[in-house]
Structure formats: C-alpha cells, structure tokens
Amino acid sequence: RAMPANADAQTNADQPIAVINRNPTQQVQVRLNEFKGKRYVDLRTFYLDEEEEVYKPTKKGISIPVELFEELKAALAKVEAKL
C-alpha cells in the first residue's frame, strides 16, 4: 500500500534525501518517512506549483518499508547491470 501523498499524513518528511529532476516542472524526491510507527523509503513524483513556487507531492510514487530496502537495492543493481 502506498502512503498518502498529503504532508499531514507523513512525518520526518521535511527535506528530501535526493532529488531527480525529470523536467522543469517535475521531480522525483527520495525521502525517509514514518507512517503509523513504521519507517518507509518513499520515491514520489512532485510537481511545481507555479503560483506558490514550491514543489508539491503527487499520488505517483511508491513507499517501501525499510525492511525491504536491501531487496530494492538488489533489484536496482540488476537494472544497472542491464544498462
């Protein structure tokens, strides 16, 4: 289950760990979040709200429990090997 995109439902999510710019108005942010007492690695697309000049989260993304982080790293290593 993905975590809600609204900031009220997330804690410890003030600053991204990493930012990948997709284009001038979208970026993928990597964050370490806590939700209902569990920690997650969250990769989420953010869009630029041009009126407020800030990036805001979308529903597009994935949250992976930190317990599965090693599996994610192994999967990314397989992707890297095929590039």
Side-chain angles (χ1 to χ4, degrees), residues 23-36:
N23 59 48
T25 61
Q26 285 189 336
Q27 54 184 215
V28 175
Q29 294 187 10
V30 181
R31 295 171 180 252
L32 189 58
N33 295 335
E34 188 174 313
F35 182 70
K36 293 188 177 181

Side-chain angles (χ1 to χ4, degrees), residues 30-32 39-43 62-66 69 72:
V30 181
R31 295 171 180 252
L32 189 58
R39 293 176 64 198
Y40 295 87
V41 175
D42 186 64
L43 291 91
I62 184 169
S63 291
I64 298 174
V66 294
F69 183 69
L72 174 62

Side-chain angles (χ1 to χ4, degrees), residues 72-83:
L72 174 62
K73 283 184 6 182
L76 291 174
K78 289 179 183 179
V79 171
E80 183 177 35
K82 292 191 180 277
L83 295 178

Side-chain angles (χ1 to χ4, degrees), residues 37-79:
K38 288 189 72 174
R39 293 176 64 198
Y40 295 87
V41 175
D42 186 64
L43 291 91
R44 188 151 314 277
T45 299
F46 281 65
Y47 72 96
L48 179 61
D49 181 323
E50 293 182 16
E51 285 185 21
E52 294 183 29
E53 297 182 353
V54 296
Y55 280 93
K56 294 185 175 180
T58 69
K59 292 182 180 183
K60 296 178 184 176
I62 184 169
S63 291
I64 298 174
V66 294
E67 298 84 14
L68 299 178
F69 183 69
E70 290 301 319
E71 289 183 51
L72 174 62
K73 283 184 6 182
L76 291 174
K78 289 179 183 179
V79 171

